[in-house]
Amino acid sequence: MANVIVVGAQFGDEGKAKVTDLLAKNADVVVRYQGGSNAGHTVVVDGETYKFHLIPSGILYKGTICILGPGMVIDPKAFMAELDSLIKRGLDDSCLKVSASAHVTMPFHLTIDAAEEDSRGSKKIGTTKRGIGPTYADKCDRIGIRVEDLLDPEVLKAKLEWLVPKKNVILERLYNLPPQDPQKIFEEYVAYGKQMAKYVCDTAALIFKSVRERKNILFEGAQGTLLDLDHGSYPYVTSSSPSAGGACVGAGVGPTIIDRVIGVSKAYQTRVGEGPFPTEQFAELGEKLRQTGTAWAEVGVTTGRPRRCGWLDCVLGRYAVRINGLDCLAITKLDVLDEFDEIKVCVAYRDCKTGEVHKDLPSMAGAFARMEPIYKTFPGWCTSTKTCRSYSDLPPATQQYLNFVAQELDVPVAIVSVGPKRDQTIVIEDPIHGPKRVLSKAH
């Protein structure tokens, strides 16, 4: 299989879990490299629906090592609740590993996250309020608590006795909220440490050992490229790097071990929360996209918020190809478009202030917010694709649509998903061993 990164090519919620599940069948190791319980991944297997937030979806395959990497932020309470629910459904946790270096989301992180978001009023950024941003902030400020600290009561107690009073100043004076008790937090999180201890190890060393043994490793991220802290639609982004470059840092590996990068994109576009969305559709059309996708649950898995829906945006797609170095695409939720008489694709932007046309994403956030889409319109195929199992099964109009997307993004479409089930998947070309992408003269 080789060492492969699966990355979201849009604003997250692209259906990465299904693609990861498909590829994990042949993986020895699956590594989640960033984010925390703000992620929401859904996999449907034999009529059973599994929702993942922290644990890699590779756990559905017995014997596959599943790693929560050092780039993640882990809420122990959420982790244990998710794990317990999976164990009750008969899944094996013997191959689950948690990085000792991953940072821990504490109760004050969740409280501060919610308070900060509420205080923004009309300037909200759409956080999930799961404490992710404040946890990463403490990590960068070098005052964070790591998983290894949960296993050492003396270290944990000392850190909490120093840190919690500082957080209480923020809670009480800035947000008029009650202080938190360091002793109560200590007792709760020492107990989590005891529960998690059997999973904790040096995961970077484990990954390196797997590389040396030529094991097949699959790296999965949460969220999507346009939510990347450095390369996304700042400030409406997450607090880590979901892009392909984040996989190396978040897993603890060098870039030379990566063989292939697969981007996952819906056949249309969605976004949860705030921020610019040039192709967003409102009224009947936007609602039809959302309601047609109800079998795929067009609401945030983590937040339950309805997703904003719109047409596919090739400007953002080209940007994702460039930022991640994508070798191929997996297109999901193609079947959602089955009922549309015509389908639009954004091929460029027009600056509504200057009239300038942009084929590429503007680097300035203010300019991005002013962009209006320029569309190319395609005839719909108006027939179900849910039973298609090969590229030749797809209607000619569907093939035309997919071919156009591949040409616009200058990257092949390797996988097409036409439903939530495992077998509702078309593999057009080998996503793992296909040819490496070569930049065209246009690039």
Side-chain angles (χ1 to χ4, degrees):
M1 174 178 168
N3 302 323
V4 178
I5 300 172
V6 175
V7 63
Q10 297 174 318
F11 292 105
D13 305 309
E14 300 95 347
K16 295 181 294 296
K18 184 183 178 183
V19 177
T20 301
D21 175 66
L22 173 70
L23 301 177
K25 180 179 181 180
N26 297 312
D28 301 298
V29 182
V30 179
V31 184
R32 168 84 182 277
Y33 59 84
Q34 51 77 224
S37 56
N38 56 337
H41 296 163
T42 303
V43 179
V44 179
V45 181
D46 297 330
E48 290 283 323
T49 299
Y50 297 87
K51 295 183 183 294
F52 299 95
H53 297 278
L54 287 161
I55 296 171
S57 55
I59 199 170
L60 294 173
Y61 292 97
K62 186 176 178 62
T64 300
I65 297 173
C66 292
I67 292 175
L68 281 69
M72 289 186 65
V73 292
I74 299 171
D75 180 337
K77 185 175 183 178
F79 171 77
M80 291 309 307
E82 183 176 340
L83 181 58
D84 287 346
S85 68
L86 294 174
I87 291 174
K88 287 177 181 177
R89 298 178 71 174
L91 296 181
D92 179 19
D93 67 336
S94 61
C95 292
L96 184 62
K97 306 295 179 183
V98 177
S99 172
S101 301
H103 277 249
V104 178
T105 297
M106 306 298 289
F108 45 80
H109 290 137
L110 282 84
T111 305
I112 291 174
D113 194 10
E116 285 181 346
E117 180 74 348
D118 292 341
S119 72
R120 291 188 177 100
S122 62
K123 303 294 185 181
K124 290 180 180 180
I125 60 174
T127 173
T128 60
K129 301 183 181 180
R130 297 300 176 99
I132 307 303
T135 309
Y136 276 115
D138 279 2
K139 176 181 179 178
C140 293
D141 204 21
R142 295 165 293 182
I143 60 173
I145 292 171
R146 307 211 292 186
V147 169
E148 63 186 3
D149 298 329
L150 302 184
L151 310 186
D152 189 327
E154 290 185 9
V155 170
L156 180 61
K157 189 175 184 65
K159 284 193 171 186
L160 288 172
E161 287 178 347
W162 179 85
L163 184 56
V164 175
K166 292 182 177 296
K167 298 300 180 182
N168 283 340
V169 171
I170 297 172
L171 291 172
E172 292 181 278
R173 298 186 184 181
L174 187 58
Y175 297 118
N176 196 31
L177 292 171
Q180 296 189 357
D181 183 352
Q183 180 60 29
K184 183 178 179 181
I185 295 174
F186 168 74
E187 292 172 359
E188 181 180 2
Y189 281 73
V190 161
Y192 288 136
K194 292 178 181 178
Q195 292 177 292
M196 295 176 64
K198 68 177 183 177
Y199 306 109
V200 179
C201 68
D202 182 347
T203 58
L206 176 59
I207 295 169
F208 185 71
K209 180 176 181 290
S210 299
V211 171
R212 295 291 295 269
E213 293 173 352
R214 302 194 180 281
K215 298 288 183 67
N216 297 324
I217 306 173
L218 184 62
F219 299 88
E220 69 164 332
Q223 293 88 44
T225 302
L226 274 299
L227 296 184
D228 188 281
L229 181 60
D230 294 303
H231 305 293
S233 56
Y234 192 88
Y236 305 100
V237 294
T238 192
S239 302
S240 58
S241 294
S243 55
C248 295
V249 177
V253 300
T256 54
I257 77 153
I258 303 301
D259 298 301
R260 201 157 174 83
V261 183
I262 300 172
V264 184
S265 171
K266 283 178 181 170
Y268 52 106
Q269 201 96 8
T270 64
R271 181 168 197 168
V272 171
E274 310 302 318
F277 185 177
T279 64
E280 182 174 10
Q281 297 298 304
F282 302 94
E284 292 183 14
L285 188 55
E287 192 61 25
K288 183 177 179 180
L289 276 168
R290 184 163 36 251
Q291 293 299 329
T292 306
T294 52
W296 285 81
E298 281 306 359
V299 296
V301 176
T302 298
T303 63
R305 293 178 294 188
R307 293 174 183 153
R308 300 155 63 191
C309 298
W311 296 120
L312 184 66
D313 188 333
C314 284
V315 179
L316 296 184
R318 285 190 288 269
Y319 181 75
V321 170
R322 172 164 64 87
I323 291 296
N324 296 294
L326 298 183
D327 290 297
C328 63
L329 283 173
I331 300 293
T332 63
K333 302 194 176 185
L334 181 69
D335 55 297
V336 172
L337 300 181
D338 288 350
E339 299 178 14
F340 288 82
D341 294 328
E342 65 175 29
I343 297 165
K344 294 184 178 182
V345 178
C346 173
V347 295
Y349 294 153
R350 180 178 288 106
D351 190 321
C352 63
K353 180 178 180 181
T354 67
E356 185 179 357
V357 173
H358 296 262
K359 287 281 287 185
D360 296 310
L361 183 68
S363 60
M364 303 294 288
F368 181 37
R370 297 196 305 267
M371 294 299 123
E372 58 183 21
I374 298 173
Y375 288 116
K376 182 176 176 62
T377 302
F378 292 85
W381 41 92
C382 298
T383 187
S384 177
T385 59
K386 294 179 185 294
T387 59
C388 295
R389 294 297 179 267
S390 69
Y391 183 73
S392 60
D393 290 341
L394 293 170
T398 315
Q399 296 181 28
Q400 179 189 15
Y401 180 76
L402 293 173
N403 289 340
F404 178 82
V405 172
Q407 290 168 5
E408 276 291 303
L409 273 55
D410 192 28
V411 66
V413 174
I415 298 171
V416 177
S417 176
V418 291
K421 299 177 182 177
R422 270 182 178 170
D423 66 342
Q424 290 179 301
T425 308
I426 298 169
V427 178
I428 300 174
E429 70 171 44
D430 188 337
I432 304 301
H433 301 106
K436 290 290 289 182
R437 185 176 70 97
V438 178
L439 291 177
S440 70
K441 292 181 180 180
H443 289 76

